[in-house]
Amino acid sequence: MKTRRIFLQKASLSAMALAVPTFNPLSAMTDIMNTHSKDPKTLRVAIMGLGSYGTRVAEAIQKCTRTKLVGVISGTPSKVEDWKVKYNIPAKNCYNYENFDAIKDNPDIDAVYVITPNALHKDQVIRVAKAGKHAISEKPMAVNAADGQAMVDACNAAGVQLLIGYRMHFEPNTLEVIRMRKAGEFGDIRFFQGLCGFVIGDPNQWRLNPELSGGGAMMDIGIYAINGSRYMIGEEPTWVTAQETKTNPEKFKEGIDETITFQLGFPSGVIASCLSTYNMNNLDRFYLNGSKGWVEMHPSTGYGPIKGRTDKGPLDEPIVTHQTVQMDEMAAIIFDGKKPEVPVNGEEGVKDMKIIDAIFKAVKTGEKVQLNLS
């Protein structure tokens, strides 16, 4: 590495010393290496839905090296005007929910990140796909597995990619735990616990409207425990049981779950015991137990920093802005064909939706529901 660095330095000095544009092989080599090391293709993104999370993503993109915010789609004209100024977005890249199909004729936009209420994702992603643009859908990708599969099918038919906003799939401490598990450092996995919840505020927000959210805590915070159990254990569950508790039916109306405890069974015999709630704070914890060791992550899925410890000591991977890493990694997936350690494609999203469908069915019937995620 030292020899290579000295070589490049000499090449650079040689190029600067030349007074005439005579061909210099050392300078040419430097140019070639620089061409391959910089200016990878940039993912030009329009954000659809300019709420709190859309704003968080927009801010994170400002630190990206391979992703650029170039457009907005919103039903609120004042937000569009604010974002145009704040992020220097040209008027021709601004759309509303009625006219955004026109992105088909806009070569400045490569992909649309859909960050709207859950029930809107299906139709919006399908429209994005028909416009010939890659789609990124915030999770959960839809309100049920059938809608999720329709989104996958539409993107496949249009020849575009569908990615899901699984930011934890790129988080360094999470990836280190997955590496340790794959390396056998925890031995045979025996048990997983996922606790996800907080006390939700404004009773009039869209998350408490079943027509927009498709459910309550499960469709918001509970999906982290579902998805986390799969990547922490490294298997796909084959059955689920679930129980619902509702202490405030006025706030948590029909179709909005307040608290659900659920259990997942895996082929190796591992059991996952999880909790999803809108009625308890300080619940953001994963625990994985194996025959040779254990890991606890707390916080496990919050915006950061993620903290954790194993039987061997603390996790101390770099602290990152999750959405910044996610967006640059998605650029590599779309343009370079990069394969992430844990998938973030539409098929991955459909698997989680199948589990959520089964959890709701188990709550309703009181029975163990079999799963087939293949």
Side-chain angles (χ1 to χ4, degrees), residues 173 176-177 180 185-186 287-288 292-297 307-316:
N173 282 303
E176 173 61 10
V177 170
M180 294 175 70
E185 295 185 33
F186 303 125
Y287 175 76
L288 187 71
K292 295 181 180 179
W294 54 267
V295 57
E296 178 188 46
M297 304 183 74
K307 297 181 180 179
R309 59 193 179 102
T310 76
D311 58 293
K312 300 172 179 63
L315 296 170
D316 58 0

Side-chain angles (χ1 to χ4, degrees), residues 188-203:
D188 296 329
I189 303 302
R190 303 281 173 80
F191 175 77
F192 171 81
Q193 182 185 54
L195 305 178
C196 300
F198 61 92
V199 176
I200 197 166
D202 180 9

Side-chain angles (χ1 to χ4, degrees), residues 101-147:
D101 305 274
I103 60 174
K104 178 178 181 180
D105 301 314
N106 190 335
D108 292 346
I109 297 173
D110 300 312
V112 176
Y113 195 159
V114 178
I115 311 178
T116 55
N118 306 332
L120 305 181
H121 292 178
K122 174 192 173 184
D123 289 344
Q124 290 170 341
V125 164
I126 290 175
R127 288 172 65 186
V128 168
K130 287 182 177 180
K133 306 298 182 180
H134 301 294
I136 303 169
S137 174
E138 190 44 44
K139 61 189 180 304
M141 68 183 297
V143 295
N144 55 55
D147 282 3

